[in-house]
Amino acid sequence: SVYKRQPPPPVTNLSLLVNTNQDGIDKDEKLTLREAIEIVNGKLDINKLSPAEKSQIQTLASATNSRIEFNLSPGETTIYLQEILPALASPGLVIDGTSQPGYNATKSPTTTIAIPQPIIAIAPASDRQILRGLTIVADGVTVRGLSIYGFKQFKSSLAEPKGVTLLTPPADIFIAHKSPPPEINLEESPNGSFPFYEKDVPPKDVVIEMNWLGMPPSGEMPENNSAFGVSVFNSFGATIRKNRIAYHDGSGIITSVQAKNLNVADNIIVGNGIAGMPDAIRLEGIIDNSQVTGNLICGNDGSGIYLFKPDGAVDIRNNHIQFNGRRFRKAAVYVMGDNHQVVDNTIAYQSGPGVVVGAYPLSRNNNIETNQFGGLEGLSIDLNTQQNVEPIHFQGGDGTNPVRSSRRERKETGNSAINAPQFISKEFFVLGDEVELLGKSDPGSTIEIYRVWEENQTLFGPLNGVLKTVKADAEGNFRVMLEDLEAGDRVSAIATHPDYGTSEPALNALIQSATNPVTLEEIPAQTVTPQCNTLVQLTPPPRPIPPEIIPPQPLLPPTQPLRLQVPRNIHFALDKSEISPESAAVLDKVTTVLQEYSFLTVDIEGHTDPRANDAYNQALGNRRALAVRNYLLRRGIEPERMTIRSLGETQRRTTGTGVLDYARDRRVELIFQDTRGLDIIFEDQENDLQPESSGRRRR
């Protein structure tokens, strides 16, 4: 058996300088990355190298860990692999892309979190399909300062991706024990005695830092996306910090069997999940004592963080989670399990709720405190019940819960069905400079009072900003005095109990004036341009001030609004989602407008003709919308500015049954939003119609 062979011990005291972007093992003038890895793994004898190759290797007298550094010629800094690289099996190995001459550690194209631009890149050769970039199987390995992209599994050609959810996923970086990778035919699934077998010891203390994963050093979307960014299949104490992770078909970071003591910190995770698993960070398996802190998670297709039936608890803290849910209407943070901490995060502009606590498996004692919420399509905090088991409930929430008190209800609802606080009145009055709030909650709980300044579809929040914290007494009563509130302000509250966790929000209460009562008026929605290069700041709108008396001014001729003409649709061939050259020319016009007016956003709607079943047409419409979104992404349009959905055959363009009628139905429509100051003529163009031949009768 291959498992019983005793491999030579890895080498741990060498410094190797890779000086070519070629791939292979040959006795020549240059040292390749593949040769360097095989040398430190103990698989390639240094004595078999040429004198020129030997000159790139030094023995380190004092250090105990080997290093692989780079000195590649300018213009030849991308290493195009011919096959999967050997696993990194030398403990303490450092692969350091920052060693390449010209790397500038003080300059970063990103401002929110400084992550310098890499020079060295690793990608599959254009005629190769390679499952993984780097595979890490040893303790203490560090990968730093690299661009790694283009790694996934395919069917028979690059045009037909097999999908990104495999037993052990394809990824830019894959962390696991020494089997299964890289021998794909020897992969084993978990059995009853975790982790696999006694010999399958997870590598410890791996560090992934300062890399760009999923994109080349230019920062553009590659022609062929990677499946996942970092796949933590089986590890202990891995650190993923200060990486830029973007444009993956699946999640930017995913765990599988074990990721105990995982630390995900200060990363920029943008535009992931564009063709598969949509969540930016997806955690499952054994993840006890893990942390997700200080990250910018923006513009991804599903949730920012999704915990699926994990074993153990995660601390989710100080993250900016904004403008996600571009393809799926999901919660910004979705948790299952017990004892998770979701604290001090900014959670904003999500096409779904803020934080959802699922009820599968039994989930309780999840603390969701001192967060800021805004721009949500749902509750700030939503506790799901086991009666709601449709797929949508495993993506978003199920809405407000009634008051629950029975043991059965406690058991079947997230966070043991802790009840939301109840104010004793829908209105409270300003007396002097203070407002006294009274209410009732579960005995022994801690109540956080929040200001609500944003209009929302529900009457529960959103919880825009914490005002004060108060403790409920043994009967559940609470009382709190608040300053700096005025007539017309609104407040809400949540309760956290040490045995149950945090509740859903209380019904909003209105602050009134005893002498001059006000009625609650609708607050106009704030116009926010989706962007991932700045952190969303949730601040209350300025209080209205008396209008200034301005003397009459001479009448001026009215200014003419800027008038644009923009195509709003493209068309597709029968049963196809590929963009034709004619359609590409149309989308190039759209690209020009979007690049010029950065505040414009667009909803991309996929449509079909009616000649198939609903499920088929829904999927086909989705593929068409994805194709348009990916085309615009590759031309530099930011992912957070685009949302997609499929309407299938539900909104036909015509009512006829001729080939031209069906050709008009097969389309993607671009619905432009936030057209401030622009007079746009949206053009329903037909230059790219693709009617099928009269002999074809398929749908």
Side-chain angles (χ1 to χ4, degrees), residues 215-237:
M215 58 184 155
S218 65
E220 299 175 348
M221 181 178 177
E223 192 62 33
N224 294 301
N225 302 325
S226 296
F228 294 99
V230 183
S231 173
V232 186
F233 189 71
N234 187 14
S235 82
F236 186 92

Side-chain angles (χ1 to χ4, degrees), residues 515-558:
T515 58
N516 187 21
V518 300
T519 57
L520 185 61
E521 298 181 357
E522 183 176 342
I523 301 173
Q526 292 178 289
T527 301
V528 178
T529 299
Q531 54 183 344
C532 293
N533 56 1
T534 59
L535 302 179
V536 165
Q537 301 296 326
L538 296 177
T539 56
R543 297 188 184 278
I545 57 176
E548 182 182 356
I549 299 176
I550 301 175
Q553 300 293 321
L555 293 177
L556 298 175

Side-chain angles (χ1 to χ4, degrees), residues 519-634:
T519 57
L520 185 61
E521 298 181 357
E522 183 176 342
I523 301 173
Q526 292 178 289
T527 301
V528 178
T529 299
Q531 54 183 344
C532 293
N533 56 1
T534 59
L535 302 179
V536 165
Q537 301 296 326
L538 296 177
T539 56
R543 297 188 184 278
I545 57 176
E548 182 182 356
I549 299 176
I550 301 175
Q553 300 293 321
L555 293 177
L556 298 175
T559 58
Q560 293 296 322
L562 185 60
R563 180 161 293 177
L564 302 174
Q565 192 163 347
V566 184
R568 64 171 294 168
N569 62 338
I570 66 167
H571 298 89
F572 293 84
L574 180 67
D575 279 340
K576 301 297 183 182
S577 57
E578 289 76 29
I579 294 173
S580 69
E582 294 79 11
S583 297
V586 175
L587 290 177
D588 288 342
K589 296 178 182 178
V590 173
T591 300
T592 299
V593 172
L594 290 173
Q595 288 173 338
E596 185 171 358
Y597 302 101
S598 60
F599 54 81
L600 278 174
T601 60
V602 61
D603 295 338
I604 303 171
E605 297 180 346
H607 299 264
T608 71
D609 68 40
R611 296 172 294 169
N613 62 54
D614 291 344
Y616 178 89
N617 283 337
Q618 189 71 19
L620 179 58
N622 189 64
R623 291 196 299 273
R624 288 171 175 168
L626 278 173
V628 171
R629 197 269 299 270
N630 289 351
Y631 186 95
L632 296 175
L633 280 173
R634 289 193 170 93

Side-chain angles (χ1 to χ4, degrees), residues 9-20:
V11 181
T12 58
N13 64 339
L14 295 180
S15 174
L16 303 96
L17 190 64
V18 175
N19 61 350
T20 177

Side-chain angles (χ1 to χ4, degrees), residues 14 41-42 75 145 148 175 185 217 227 236 247 250 296 363 370 396 454 467 506 536 541 576 607 630 632 643:
L14 295 180
N41 284 348
I148 307 175
I175 307 172
N185 61 315
F236 186 92
Y247 301 132
L296 170 60
S363 301
T370 59
E454 178 188 325
L467 292 172
V536 165
K576 301 297 183 182
H607 299 264
N630 289 351
L632 296 175
T643 59

Side-chain angles (χ1 to χ4, degrees), residues 199-217:
K199 65 181 179 306
D200 296 328
V201 178
K204 299 179 180 62
D205 302 327
V206 170
V207 177
I208 311 298
E209 62 182 6
M210 308 297 285
N211 303 285
W212 286 19
L213 303 180
M215 58 184 155

Side-chain angles (χ1 to χ4, degrees), residues 18-96:
V18 175
N19 61 350
T20 177
N21 68 341
Q22 300 300 305
D23 184 30
I25 298 179
D26 297 295
K27 191 173 183 178
D28 54 20
E29 302 300 306
K30 298 289 186 177
L31 186 68
T32 67
L33 176 60
R34 186 178 300 276
E35 289 171 330
I37 293 173
E38 290 286 50
I39 289 169
V40 297
N41 284 348
K43 298 291 185 67
L44 179 60
D45 189 347
I46 295 178
N47 295 321
K48 295 183 179 180
L49 302 177
S50 70
E53 290 173 315
K54 289 181 182 179
S55 69
Q56 305 302 315
I57 304 172
Q58 295 182 351
T59 300
L60 301 173
S62 57
T64 59
N65 302 327
S66 292
R67 301 181 62 85
I68 296 177
E69 299 183 340
F70 298 87
N71 185 13
L72 274 58
S73 300
E76 298 180 353
T77 53
T78 298
I79 300 172
Y80 292 107
L81 302 181
Q82 299 298 316
E83 59 181 333
I84 193 168
L85 287 168
L88 308 181
S90 177
L93 173 67
V94 177
I95 298 185
D96 192 356

